[in-house]
Amino acid sequence: MDWKSSGDLFAAPPNESDFVFVNGLRFAAPYSFDFVCHVKKRQEGKNIVELFTTEFPNRPRCYYENAYQQGLLRAEKATPANNGSLKRKKSATTDEKNEEDDDKQHPAAPTETTETKTETTAKTAFEQRVTTPKVQPLTSLKAGERLRHALHRHEPPCLADPIVVIRVTQNMVAVCKPATTPVHPTGQYRRNTVLGLLASQRPDLGRLNPVHRLYKKV
């Protein structure tokens, strides 16, 4: 599976068999995931372990230290911008532009966008540990550097109520969103969302983007 396309729910939608129903709850089967974010200006000077420990405190520092030693937590240098209209190429760094809500994670955390969230098969996600060269000492990060965290994701469950499509027009799809199900990928949720479920169950609707959004609990 190509990670560039698999980061798109509609290019590589989950299968209906990826969902399990237990006692009125819908679970997404665990899967390998490559979380990607970029270093912001305010985060310069920290090393990758410090940054993840501060921004994602739901895991202890020792977890991030071990992940770095295993090659599951890594940094990539910023890529220079390519401006075709200019004769000279100028270096540029980029920040995440599409920050998303998360009820459970730190509000200042680096966030995942629909373009940077990438799912991989179990083999692809964790073979990084085998192919990663010798672990380098921790260094200070610079704005624009891309950070990657390969992990085995276990999404929290939602109520098993179905997503009911109320009406379909040429430009819009109206649905009844059950409580506890997020509309779009955010925080710990990706497949167990309205968009993830529609991508899996209603491919005939094509690519969808939220126009009006209700909070997860509504």
Side-chain angles (χ1 to χ4, degrees), residues 14-214:
N15 299 316
E16 290 195 38
S17 59
D18 290 328
F19 300 98
V20 180
F21 298 87
V22 180
N23 296 329
L25 297 176
R26 180 180 57 246
F27 292 81
Y31 56 94
S32 297
F33 185 78
D34 191 17
F35 170 68
V36 182
C37 66
H38 290 78
V39 179
K40 295 177 172 60
K41 186 68 176 178
R42 65 176 174 80
Q43 298 164 336
E44 277 192 324
K46 294 182 178 181
N47 63 51
I48 191 170
V49 171
E50 291 172 338
L51 187 149
F52 270 77
T53 301
T54 301
E55 304 291 351
F56 300 101
N58 55 316
R59 297 176 187 270
R61 182 186 177 92
C62 61
Y63 167 85
Y64 294 116
E65 291 174 342
N66 291 334
Y68 181 75
Q69 292 296 322
Q70 295 176 47
L72 299 176
L73 187 65
R74 55 210 187 277
E76 299 174 350
K77 298 299 181 182
T79 303
N82 182 15
N83 296 319
S85 60
L86 300 179
K87 293 183 179 179
R88 294 185 304 170
K89 293 182 179 179
K90 297 181 180 180
S91 296
T93 57
T94 58
D95 288 331
E96 297 298 322
K97 295 181 180 179
N98 185 22
E99 298 204 335
E100 304 193 69
D101 297 328
D102 178 12
D103 294 333
K104 295 186 177 181
Q105 291 196 10
H106 195 282
T111 55
E112 305 169 75
T113 66
T114 53
E115 292 182 353
T116 59
K117 294 171 188 171
T118 55
E119 289 180 36
T120 58
T121 60
K123 179 180 179 181
T124 303
F126 289 95
E127 66 186 2
Q128 299 287 346
R129 290 182 297 181
V130 178
T131 58
T132 300
K134 183 179 180 180
V135 177
Q136 299 298 320
L138 291 168
T139 58
S140 297
L141 298 169
K142 295 182 179 179
E145 287 187 273
R146 182 164 61 178
L147 309 180
R148 307 181 77 100
H149 180 202
L151 69 156
H152 205 237
R153 170 157 286 184
H154 297 247
E155 296 188 21
C158 299
L159 292 177
D161 298 333
I163 308 298
V164 179
V165 176
I166 300 173
R167 186 177 179 183
V168 179
T169 67
Q170 184 176 357
N171 298 315
M172 298 184 67
V173 176
V175 303
C176 179
K177 185 194 87 66
T180 74
T181 301
V183 171
H184 54 74
T186 179
Q188 301 178 65
Y189 294 91
R190 177 171 175 73
R191 294 180 174 179
N192 218 353
T193 61
V194 172
L195 290 183
L197 291 164
L198 290 177
S200 172
Q201 300 169 3
R202 292 296 304 271
D204 57 298
L205 296 176
R207 180 177 298 277
L208 301 173
N209 293 296
V211 176
H212 298 289
R213 178 179 67 88
L214 295 175

